[in-house]
Amino acid sequence: MSQSALITMILTQTFVTAVTGYFFYKVLNTPNKEED
Amino acid sequence: MSNEKQSWGTRVGLILAMAGNAVGLGNFLRFPVQAVNNGGGTFIIPYLVCFFLMGIPLLWIEWSTGRFGGRHGNHCTPFILDNMGKKRLWKYIGVFGIFTNIAVAAYYTYIESWTLSYVFHSLKQSFSGLNQFEVAQLFGSYVDINTNTMGIPFEPVVLYIFCLAINVWILSKGLEGGVEKVAKIGMPLLIIFGVFLAIRGLTLGSSGAPADCTDCNAFLGLDFLWKPDFSNLWDAKVWLAAAGQIFFTLSVGMGTIHCYAAYMKPKQDIALNAMAAGWMNSFVEIVLGASIVIPIAVGYLGLDWVKENASFSMAFQTMPYLFGKWGPALATAAGFMWFGLLFFAGITSSLAMGTPWMGFMQDEFGYSIKKAAVTFGIITLIMGLPTVLFYAQGVFDQYDYWAGTVVLVIFALAESILFGWIFGIDKGWDEINRGADITLPKIYKPILKYVTPSMLLIIFVGSLVLPKDNDWKKAFQEEWIFDESNSIIGQINNSDIKHNRDWFSTVYESPTDGIVTQIIPGEDGILPVIVIGETPANLLDSPNQLDKIPTKQQIELRNTDDIIAVKAGQIIQAGLPIANGWHVNPIFYRGFSRFMLLALFVYLSILVHIAHKKRKLRP
């Protein structure tokens, strides 16, 4: 596997995994709002 | 209005259901093929740009529009858009939000039934000992009504109905008791199965590499998929492919997101929820989808084979053969996981397609959940049976093209204009931010108003006048020739069909020039075949020379008793009658498919009209 492909893959997959994980972490740690 | 109030049980359940709606077979099959055909690793740049400028805004538009509708007692697009647009036209544009779902569910459930059948075949080890051609042939046998692979008469029809019945049964349990439960089980399983297959694929080594590529392995496949090729980064084709991928992978423009969001609480966050669901879809696509099909196929079949054959059909026609190389036990487990994964990806989407019809019938005609689910099943069955019975004649493809592709873009374009320009971007922005658990960048306000509708307009116009071979450079710099098969204009005119253009005919015209090299007469159950070869440059000295002429096309006639009107050695032109007999031509099935789709749209529009009249009479 070439270096450029490896770097592109690792950067992209790490970025997407981190962003997905971040939003899920936010969802799980945000308390539910009380409805009027 | 129905007395049965529906709602989501938990926030995570809602997000998983929304993600399940978006995650479909395309995440595992469409994305990697698009990437390899459009610059490999470079494809991710336009992909992410389109995600930020079109995907995310559309998600927010649809989530907020749906929640807005739910607050006013509307759970389906006709009256949600009517409430936002305040013009009669909008409720009829909103009909697309039910139409698309029924039409797509009609054929999508058929794909789901393939996955179910292949789970069974994997467990039964039906693929064991078969070569690559035989595995591919098994799929052909499966979709052929006249043959069966499991000993069940009319197998594809029976399994299709069974699969539809599963969908109806789950839908009849309601959102919390049915859809949400399936999403909570199906999505984690899908990810677990995907991770297992990806790890197994990446640890293949070169032991199974083909003779002409002894160093082929999964990492060569990853290299092929991720190696950036910046030379075509500014090619319009690449950007349109990326925009199309974002559009279809997120399941926007369908009306399902609106419907799911309509059952949220009025102040429940949508900004963060939409992000979590949208990014989860991208995770499945970019991390898992890119690590299974292409790497494994390159590892066993080589780079050249994949370059020529990378397509959707690999899932059923190639993967079982490749799993077979892992030994009986692992092949069974891998087949079960692969087709199980595709089944979960499919069913979480098809369940979403049932909810707009159900929401509409509950809101407007007071249907119970069960009655709404059963009627969805019946109407989907009526629409779907032609895709099963006439799969080979192209009904499936017509549904996919018109309902599953063109209409989505039209609807998304209309809703983005409604949101940004008619409902008003200020009201729209407030709606997105209502109860938001994250702060949205203000830059998205002009993006929602100007950029997203513009991008959708470009995609629509692009598909309307798509140039031949998707070659935009040539179209702009030289001559603009429409793609006869894939441009909307070409499809409307059936431009790709040059001969046999009558619905029914008593003669069959040759679709190509050439020389008749062989005639294989029909027998009981076997259709006659005329083999056409390249026209020879010089006259042939003896009939034996026919064997040496390369085959151009094999024409299988439609009936066993067709009378063949040409002889071996005869030079023919395209359009020349080559056989006599009663024929139903493919163009008929196109007309029939379009009639079915149009009839569905008219029927739904009439229902919306009746509902509108009923609303006026309400106190």
Side-chain angles (χ1 to χ4, degrees):
Chain A
M1 192 174 180
S2 65
Q3 207 174 28
S4 59
L6 187 67
I7 291 169
T8 313
M9 185 182 83
I10 289 174
L11 279 179
T12 307
Q13 295 195 338
T14 307
F15 172 71
V16 172
T17 307
V19 176
T20 308
Y22 168 75
F23 282 124
F24 260 87
Y25 174 81
K26 286 276 283 182
V27 165
L28 294 171
N29 287 283
T30 307
N32 282 333
K33 280 183 277 297
E34 291 292 320
E35 290 291 331
D36 294 328
Chain B
M1 194 179 281
S2 168
N3 293 326
E4 293 171 293
K5 293 251 176 193
Q6 294 221 68
S7 63
W8 295 101
T10 60
R11 187 175 185 178
V12 171
L14 163 69
I15 292 170
L16 289 177
M18 282 283 198
N21 169 38
V23 173
L25 281 76
N27 291 58
F28 296 92
L29 303 166
R30 196 178 189 274
F31 172 77
V33 174
Q34 288 291 321
V36 297
N37 290 332
N38 292 286
T42 325
F43 182 69
I44 210 68
I45 296 171
Y47 176 95
L48 287 176
V49 170
C50 291
F51 185 54
F52 282 107
L53 297 182
M54 191 180 72
I56 290 174
L58 271 174
L59 286 174
W60 283 333
I61 288 174
E62 297 201 350
W63 278 71
S64 61
T65 302
R67 190 187 55 179
F68 171 83
R71 215 163 58 235
H72 295 89
N74 300 314
H75 299 93
C76 187
T77 49
F79 289 100
I80 296 177
L81 299 198
D82 182 58
N83 199 10
M84 291 170 77
K86 305 289 180 197
K87 284 257 165 63
R88 185 177 294 183
L89 171 75
W90 286 106
K91 66 170 105 21
Y92 295 105
I93 291 177
V95 170
F96 282 124
I98 314 175
F99 163 82
T100 309
N101 290 290
I102 294 173
V104 174
Y107 69 84
Y108 204 79
T109 321
Y110 187 34
I111 306 177
E112 247 172 80
S113 72
W114 300 349
T115 63
L116 213 53
S117 163
Y118 270 57
V119 166
F120 174 79
H121 278 302
S122 300
L123 293 175
K124 213 179 114 200
Q125 300 189 333
S126 306
F127 308 110
S128 174
L130 300 186
N131 63 33
Q132 193 182 348
F133 178 72
E134 287 166 334
V135 169
Q137 241 184 355
L138 191 85
F139 180 74
S141 303
Y142 176 75
V143 293
D144 184 350
I145 296 287
N146 300 313
T147 56
N148 71 68
T149 60
M150 292 188 329
I152 305 169
F154 302 107
E155 185 183 318
V157 180
V158 172
L159 279 177
Y160 173 68
I161 294 173
F162 176 66
C163 209
L164 194 54
I166 295 175
N167 276 273
V168 169
W169 179 69
I170 296 168
L171 285 168
S172 71
K173 301 283 172 195
L175 275 184
E176 189 179 351
V179 175
E180 192 173 330
K181 266 189 189 164
V182 170
K184 280 180 171 172
I185 298 167
M187 288 306 289
L189 272 179
L190 180 151
I191 291 174
I192 291 167
F193 288 174
V195 169
F196 172 85
L197 290 167
I199 291 173
R200 179 65 193 106
L202 297 180
T203 51
L204 286 179
S206 300
S207 55
D212 58 347
C213 179
T214 48
D215 60 343
C216 271
N217 57 39
F219 287 96
L220 191 68
L222 286 177
D223 184 67
F224 175 49
L225 191 66
W226 287 104
K227 194 173 186 177
D229 174 8
F230 291 97
S231 66
N232 56 5
L233 182 60
W234 298 111
D235 189 342
K237 169 189 160 221
V238 173
W239 283 83
L240 275 175
Q245 179 59 27
I246 285 297
F247 190 82
F248 296 114
T249 189
L250 291 173
S251 292
V252 286
M254 288 191 74
T256 44
I257 294 177
H258 308 77
C259 183
Y260 271 3
Y263 291 101
M264 294 171 71
K265 294 186 178 78
K267 284 188 184 169
Q268 195 175 348
D269 160 90
I270 59 143
L272 175 60
N273 287 349
M275 286 293 88
W279 280 98
M280 186 172 182
N281 174 70
S282 290
F283 167 80
V284 171
E285 175 157 285
I286 293 171
V287 180
L288 299 180
S291 307
I292 301 175
V293 176
I294 299 287
I296 295 176
V298 171
Y300 284 125
L301 300 171
L303 205 50
D304 292 337
W305 187 92
V306 173
K307 277 178 185 168
E308 278 177 33
N309 298 286
S311 71
F312 184 86
S313 62
M314 282 173 70
F316 299 92
Q317 298 187 355
T318 312
M319 295 307 284
Y321 165 70
L322 303 182
F323 295 147
K325 291 176 177 282
W326 296 353
L330 207 52
T332 306
F336 173 78
M337 287 188 189
W338 171 242
F339 293 110
L341 169 159
L342 293 182
F343 176 72
F344 284 125
I347 199 164
T348 46
S349 302
S350 63
L351 288 173
M353 293 172 206
T355 47
W357 163 267
M358 290 175 65
F360 174 69
M361 296 312 275
Q362 285 182 273
D363 285 353
E364 309 302 327
F365 296 97
Y367 276 28
S368 65
I369 296 174
K370 205 170 180 178
K371 190 175 174 186
V374 171
T375 49
F376 168 73
I378 293 169
I379 199 169
T380 306
L381 181 66
I382 295 168
M383 288 300 296
L385 273 180
T387 66
V388 183
L389 298 173
F390 307 117
Y391 174 78
Q393 286 81 359
V395 174
F396 182 104
D397 293 335
Q398 280 292 301
Y399 275 40
D400 185 37
Y401 183 80
W402 292 109
T405 312
V406 176
V407 169
L408 303 189
V409 183
I410 295 172
F411 184 66
L413 177 61
E415 69 175 352
S416 67
I417 292 170
L418 172 69
F419 189 86
W421 295 84
I422 296 164
F423 184 64
I425 193 62
D426 292 330
K427 272 168 80 181
W429 186 249
D430 289 346
E431 194 57 43
I432 294 172
N433 282 287
R434 176 191 284 261
D437 286 333
I438 49 172
T439 309
L440 302 187
K442 286 213 173 81
I443 183 72
Y444 266 104
K445 206 170 166 182
I447 290 175
L448 281 158
K449 184 165 182 172
Y450 300 105
V451 180
T452 307
S454 304
M455 289 181 80
L456 288 163
L457 190 65
I458 291 168
I459 294 178
F460 178 67
V461 175
S463 27
L464 198 67
V465 295
L466 187 73
K468 196 177 175 190
D469 302 327
N470 211 352
D471 192 342
W472 290 86
K473 267 184 204 161
K474 193 176 169 189
F476 279 114
Q477 288 166 6
E478 295 170 36
E479 190 185 3
W480 200 300
I481 305 168
F482 292 143
D483 184 318
E484 293 179 338
S485 301
N486 298 311
S487 70
I488 296 176
I489 289 178
Q491 271 285 325
I492 290 171
N493 294 328
N494 295 313
S495 308
D496 54 328
I497 299 180
K498 303 284 184 207
H499 306 288
N500 300 301
R501 285 183 62 92
D502 293 328
W503 281 12
F504 312 107
S505 61
T506 52
V507 293
Y508 185 79
E509 298 163 356
S510 172
T512 182
D513 296 328
I515 182 166
V516 180
T517 56
Q518 196 184 358
I519 292 173
I520 306 165
E523 289 172 41
D524 272 351
I526 299 172
L527 296 169
V529 175
I530 300 175
V531 184
I532 310 281
E534 298 286 353
T535 311
N538 305 307
L539 282 175
L540 302 180
D541 299 329
S542 89
N544 294 340
Q545 287 181 292
L546 284 175
D547 299 342
K548 292 171 190 153
I549 295 174
T551 299
K552 192 174 177 186
Q553 194 169 347
Q554 288 201 21
I555 303 164
E556 191 180 63
L557 298 175
R558 309 278 159 72
N559 313 300
T560 47
D561 55 354
D562 276 347
I563 300 161
I564 294 168
V566 288
K567 291 177 190 164
Q570 185 176 340
I571 291 177
I572 57 170
Q573 278 80 45
L576 182 90
I578 53 170
N580 297 309
W582 171 253
H583 296 109
V584 182
N585 291 318
I587 203 159
F588 164 78
Y589 293 101
R590 285 197 180 178
F592 171 70
S593 314
R594 293 170 192 179
F595 168 77
M596 289 293 287
L597 294 172
L598 193 64
L600 175 66
F601 188 83
V602 171
Y603 169 67
L604 294 171
S605 300
I606 292 169
L607 283 184
V608 168
H609 183 71
I610 294 169
H612 170 66
K613 294 276 178 201
K614 279 179 65 152
R615 279 184 172 225
K616 275 189 167 175
L617 296 175
R618 274 186 206 162

